Amino acid sequence: MAGDRTRERPRSQASAGDLLHLVRSGRAITRGALQAATGLSRATVGQRLDRLFRAGWLREGAGGPAGSPTGGRPSLRLEFDDAHAVVLAVSLDTRHARAAVLTLTGELLAERSGALSVDEGPERVLGALGGWFAGLLKEAGRSADAVCGIGLGVPGPVDTATGRVVQPPIMPGWDGYDIRGYLGRAFAEQTGGSGGAGGPGDAAGVPVLVDNDANLMAYGEQRTGHPDCAAFALVKVSTGIGAGVVVGGQIYRGIDGGAGDIGHIRVPEGAGTLCRCGSYGCLAAVASGRALARRLTEAGVPAESGSDVRELLADGHPEAVRLAREAGRSVGEVLATVVTLLNPGVLMIAGDLAGTPFLTGVRELLYQRALPRSTAHLDVVTARLGERSALVGAGALVVEHLYAPDRAEERLAALGL
């Protein structure tokens, strides 16, 4: 989420990008309110708004209640115009993917999901996504030129400065791969749009932003359902286990994208169990969907992944229910430390195992092990957006990047405005 950049420079120097941010945040939605917030003259505000109008980013709506104190006509409301572009968003899991065309305010225009395994490697997967984009845009009735950016969530740690995954335990062949460049080219080749290595700092091509899927799920859920929560944590338990944290409206990633990788915390009950990362005793090795699938198969109940376990839980299979509650207790013990450290207002459980048995197990251990002070104001809930959490988060990430004050100024200048 864009910060309040008007505080980072003298008020009299507030740019068109700053004015856009004030309107989008709701802090100033009339010309008069913008003058008051920035100290700019009426003429200067008008000039800077004109750039935004010509770009198609702002529009004037019907008059609202913000009239003159002397009884004059109500001022026209300024509104962010979400019709001038769309965003492509993708959530990539270990064995399937979900993609969508979204408006700039997060409305879903077209969606597709299907089997797509990360084990097939980045070029095959990203190439397939390029083909999905073409069909989705056709379904949404939008051209490739309307796409202002692409957001991609992946099940591994990401260096967001480069868009490359860093030593991902469950993404063989992806370590250090140029995801942004290849996906941008796949988009261009399959849709006829402008592609290339369009990353956050690049002017050429459609910008491609890559982040960890749990981060994007947390971002999407926090923004849509808990916008006033200053510290928000989401734990995704599917084939693997990961967490996303949003503090002060911003994703917390750590120094190189490794924050939230709780699936590889060592737990006593995992001693002697080999994890896919190569270590023994990781939480993911005993409590993830993959771990439960393995144990169910050993018990004579065939299952290969977290999605298979989810189906068994939906059917009320007794052994799946027992194992899910047991896994929840293991995760709850780790989360007791997480909650003590972060002191979040909301702890959200998401992913294939996010049902009653697992949640019950989490609560049992969490409230037993964490200090009462840490849980006194804590809500433990399940995801509201379901499988669309990461899509909403990916779309929001792209929009907040592209329309942040400084980036907006760069884009206006590139448009000749």
Side-chain angles (χ1 to χ4, degrees):
M1 189 179 299
D4 188 351
R5 301 298 184 86
T6 57
R7 295 181 181 177
E8 297 175 9
R9 63 181 119 233
R11 294 169 75 226
S12 61
Q13 295 180 20
S15 67
D18 289 316
L19 268 57
L20 177 66
H21 172 63
L22 288 169
V23 172
R24 291 187 62 236
S25 67
R27 288 188 54 218
I29 57 173
T30 65
R31 292 171 184 259
L34 288 172
Q35 288 177 242
T38 63
L40 297 175
S41 69
R42 180 175 181 177
T44 302
V45 167
Q47 291 169 356
R48 294 180 182 175
L49 287 178
D50 184 60
R51 298 174 66 201
L52 299 171
F53 290 140
R54 285 187 286 149
W57 297 357
L58 281 188
R59 64 188 172 206
E60 286 185 309
S68 165
T70 59
R73 290 187 305 170
S75 302
L76 291 176
R77 289 175 61 96
L78 295 166
E79 302 172 348
F80 181 58
D81 189 344
D82 71 343
H84 69 271
V86 294
V87 175
L88 288 168
V90 183
S91 174
L92 183 63
D93 213 328
T94 54
R95 299 183 65 197
H96 67 275
R98 184 175 296 270
V101 181
L102 302 172
T103 68
L104 299 181
T105 48
E107 180 185 353
L108 191 144
L109 301 178
E111 182 180 17
R112 173 177 175 176
S113 63
L116 204 57
S117 174
V118 294
D119 288 344
E120 296 180 14
E123 294 186 6
R124 185 175 180 85
V125 171
L126 299 175
L129 290 176
W132 286 23
F133 292 158
L136 285 167
L137 288 170
K138 183 177 181 180
E139 181 182 342
R142 302 301 295 263
S143 70
D145 291 339
V147 177
C148 65
I150 301 170
L152 171 66
V154 298
V158 177
D159 179 350
T160 54
T162 64
R164 299 171 188 254
V165 292
V166 182
Q167 300 178 359
I170 57 176
M171 298 180 70
W174 290 74
D175 185 25
Y177 190 82
D178 182 17
I179 295 175
R180 291 199 317 221
Y182 196 94
L183 187 57
R185 291 189 294 274
F187 164 78
E189 292 167 3
Q190 298 282 355
T191 67
S194 58
D202 300 327
V206 172
V208 177
L209 276 69
V210 186
D211 209 328
N212 173 261
D213 57 353
N215 284 347
L216 295 181
M217 292 172 73
Y219 197 46
E221 292 281 359
Q222 188 271 338
R223 286 172 59 88
T224 58
H226 305 273
D228 297 326
C229 182
F232 177 97
L234 177 145
V235 179
K236 178 190 176 186
V237 187
S238 291
T239 298
I241 300 176
V245 177
V246 179
V247 177
Q250 303 279 350
I251 297 173
Y252 178 74
R253 302 182 177 91
I255 60 171
D256 61 4
D261 200 5
I262 66 170
H264 300 285
I265 292 175
R266 306 289 178 83
V267 292
E269 60 269 38
T273 304
L274 180 64
C275 179
R276 288 196 69 181
C277 72
S279 297
Y280 287 87
C282 294
L283 179 65
V286 296
S288 66
R290 185 190 300 275
L292 268 60
R294 184 191 69 248
R295 294 175 65 182
L296 285 165
T297 300
E298 291 170 352
V301 184
E304 295 183 11
S305 67
S307 58
D308 293 334
V309 177
R310 179 182 60 191
E311 293 176 5
L312 290 167
L313 289 171
D315 292 337
H317 190 284
E319 183 64 7
V321 169
R322 184 186 72 80
L323 290 175
R325 183 166 180 169
E326 186 178 302
R329 289 172 61 84
S330 296
V331 173
E333 186 158 11
V334 170
L335 290 180
T337 300
V338 172
V339 165
T340 301
L341 177 66
L342 293 178
N343 189 211
V346 175
L347 173 63
M348 181 172 284
I349 307 299
D352 291 329
L353 303 190
T356 300
F358 186 87
L359 191 62
T360 299
V362 167
R363 284 176 168 154
E364 285 177 3
L365 261 290
L366 174 61
Y367 288 105
Q368 177 183 329
R369 299 296 172 83
L371 292 172
R373 173 68 181 81
S374 300
T375 58
H377 303 288
L378 175 68
D379 289 330
V380 182
V381 300
T382 54
R384 296 180 57 200
L385 299 175
E387 295 183 341
R388 291 176 175 166
S389 299
L391 294 180
V392 173
L397 189 73
V398 170
V399 172
E400 294 301 332
H401 166 71
L402 291 177
Y403 296 92
D406 291 341
R407 181 62 171 152
E409 277 298 307
E410 295 173 4
R411 296 176 64 212
L412 288 170
L415 291 171
L417 298 174

